[in-house]
Amino acid sequence: MTDSPGRTSPGSSPSEETDKAADAAEAAQEGRPAQWAQEQPPPGDWSASAQGPPRQRGGTGERARARTGPGPGHGGAGGVPGQPGRPGPQTGRQQPGRPQWGRPQAPQPGVIPLRPLQAGEIVEGAVRTMRIHWRAVLGISLTIAVGTQAVATVVDRLWDRGTPELDPLGGATPETPQELVGAIGNGLGGLGVVWLLSLVGSITAAALLTVIVSRAVLGRPVTAREAWRSARPQLGRMAGLMVLVPLLLIGVFAVGIVWGLLVAAAGAEQAGMSLTALGGLAAMVVATWLWIRYSLAAPALMLEKQGVAAAMQRSAKLVRGSWWRVFGIQLISILITALVGLLAQAVVLVFDVFIHGAGGQSVADATDWASLIEIGIAAVVSSALTLPVSAGMTALLYMDQRIRRESLDVELARSAGEGK
């Protein structure tokens, strides 16, 4: 039997029965409700059965909704789609492997879902962009890598960099300061040409690949010609940004170590060296902070069509409050780039040992055409694979910061829907 007002539960003593009957009679005379037991069954018509436990006849919909929540029409988690109020197979607990009706999935027209991203999703989005749009991505990165590395190989082989004069083991030491300055000038000249070529390649690759990633997020196809047409008006500003930020970091290092050098030049060499080391460490911290602060300036410049100063301010605004997160993701990008570069060099070294034997000339120390070409091939493979990943991760990180701060996902979803 079930508990009800004025009835006695099995096992109750006669005194408890008399007290409950008296309480019920007194409550009926005074017109107030009787005292119910603390644990009561849900509302409805209930009847006792000799064959089994009580069975509920009414209130099934209310009881089910109380247990499983409202149906899908009301944002519940346990209803059957299209039948509000009818309980589904779940009873208040999300079953593994089944979708939760009350949590709609974020739209994903392209390579990433339009919602705040995790670090792994940013890496996956960059790799997926390279896989889906491989013709445009590899076409751009491979062309730039082959062009810059070919010129760098020729310069490395033909340019008189003065390294024999500066080599204390195998070359002659310059006898006069003029010879030393000339040797250093030759070396810096060759390095300057290689650095300039690398800078031009990096600017072009970052600009074009950022445009491709922005199209890939919307799920739109893009060719290398279309990416060039869209990025070409911003290449001049992109070059200014790619020169200004490194110069800013170099200036920080110069300011950090110049005081120690001055103290050492004044005669206190030990104190000067210590001060130089401390200044260099402090400069490294400041330079790292500035690098992360302005790391999103390139995609801001390309995608928002802004100037150099405005893009740097935009990057600082997006990074503010998320410095450590941006630093971690950029560090992942650097580690991926370094790992791919090491793998490419390892393959070239294995190939070199296979060709020349274990006792042959080391690729790292060789200056003949064959060894330089092997080194160039390793650099081309490394650049062709790492440029898209690095540029793609930076562009996706920029979009993720805007999604978190400015609800860019709403605008992207609208643009993706209009483009279909």
Side-chain angles (χ1 to χ4, degrees), residues 49-420:
S49 175
Q51 283 80 14
R55 181 173 55 89
Q56 185 179 8
R57 293 182 178 178
T60 55
E62 290 79 5
R63 179 61 174 170
R65 283 193 293 271
R67 185 174 63 251
T68 62
H74 303 280
V80 178
Q83 300 182 19
R86 180 178 176 182
Q90 305 178 33
T91 56
R93 180 181 299 178
Q94 176 67 25
Q95 298 183 5
R98 295 194 178 185
Q100 196 169 3
W101 297 106
R103 298 182 59 185
Q105 297 293 327
Q108 185 172 344
V111 294
I112 59 170
L114 300 183
R115 56 168 173 75
L117 303 175
Q118 302 296 327
E121 292 175 325
I122 292 178
V123 178
E124 183 182 359
V127 175
R128 187 178 298 170
T129 300
M130 184 170 61
R131 187 177 70 249
I132 295 177
H133 303 278
W134 63 272
R135 288 186 178 87
V137 170
L138 291 182
I140 292 172
S141 61
L142 193 60
T143 300
I144 293 174
V146 169
T148 56
Q149 189 59 42
V151 178
T153 300
V154 173
V155 170
D156 194 31
R157 179 68 178 86
L158 301 180
W159 192 285
D160 184 12
R161 297 174 297 171
T163 50
E165 291 83 358
L166 296 178
D167 188 1
L169 297 178
T173 303
E175 298 180 356
T176 63
Q178 291 78 9
E179 293 180 356
L180 178 62
V181 171
I184 293 176
N186 287 333
L188 291 179
L191 293 176
V193 172
V194 175
W195 177 80
L196 183 61
L197 290 172
S198 300
L199 179 63
V200 172
S202 299
I203 292 169
T204 307
L208 298 180
L209 294 173
T210 299
V211 173
I212 291 178
V213 171
S214 66
R215 300 293 195 276
V217 169
L218 299 177
R220 298 177 183 175
V222 61
T223 63
R225 185 185 300 273
E226 294 172 349
W228 169 257
R229 189 181 303 113
S230 178
R232 184 174 55 186
Q234 293 293 105
L235 287 180
R237 296 176 180 178
M238 190 73 167
L241 177 65
M242 299 289 281
V243 171
L244 180 59
V245 173
L247 287 179
L248 179 62
L249 302 182
I250 292 174
V252 170
F253 274 102
V255 172
I257 66 175
V258 67
W259 308 107
L261 296 178
L262 291 177
V263 171
E269 296 184 357
Q270 188 67 28
M273 295 302 294
S274 300
L275 187 58
T276 300
L278 291 177
L281 182 60
M284 181 179 299
V285 174
V286 175
T288 303
W289 180 78
L290 290 175
W291 166 56
I292 297 299
R293 179 181 174 87
Y294 299 125
S295 62
L296 304 183
L301 185 146
M302 290 302 305
L303 301 180
E304 299 183 24
K305 310 297 182 182
Q306 297 194 18
V308 176
M312 294 177 67
Q313 294 176 359
R314 188 81 168 107
S315 175
K317 180 180 178 181
L318 293 174
V319 172
R320 187 180 300 117
S322 303
W323 191 94
W324 285 106
R325 181 175 183 274
V326 176
F327 172 76
I329 295 176
Q330 293 287 17
L331 185 61
I332 292 174
S333 175
I334 293 175
L335 292 177
I336 292 175
T337 301
L339 179 61
V340 174
L342 289 176
L343 290 176
Q345 292 180 5
V347 171
V348 171
L349 288 175
V350 171
F351 181 76
D352 182 69
V353 170
F354 180 75
I355 297 297
H356 299 96
Q361 189 178 21
S362 174
V363 174
D365 301 330
T367 56
D368 61 298
W369 281 110
S371 298
L372 289 176
I373 290 175
E374 292 176 7
I375 297 173
I377 292 175
V380 166
V381 173
S382 176
S383 298
L385 295 178
T386 57
L387 280 176
V389 175
S390 178
M393 289 184 62
T394 302
L396 292 177
L397 180 58
Y398 158 81
M399 297 180 190
D400 177 60
Q401 288 299 112
R402 288 196 61 187
I403 288 175
R404 293 173 181 269
R405 293 178 177 270
E406 303 170 357
S407 298
L408 180 65
D409 51 336
V410 178
E411 181 179 349
L412 292 174
R414 185 182 304 112
S415 300
E418 293 175 353
K420 292 183 180 180

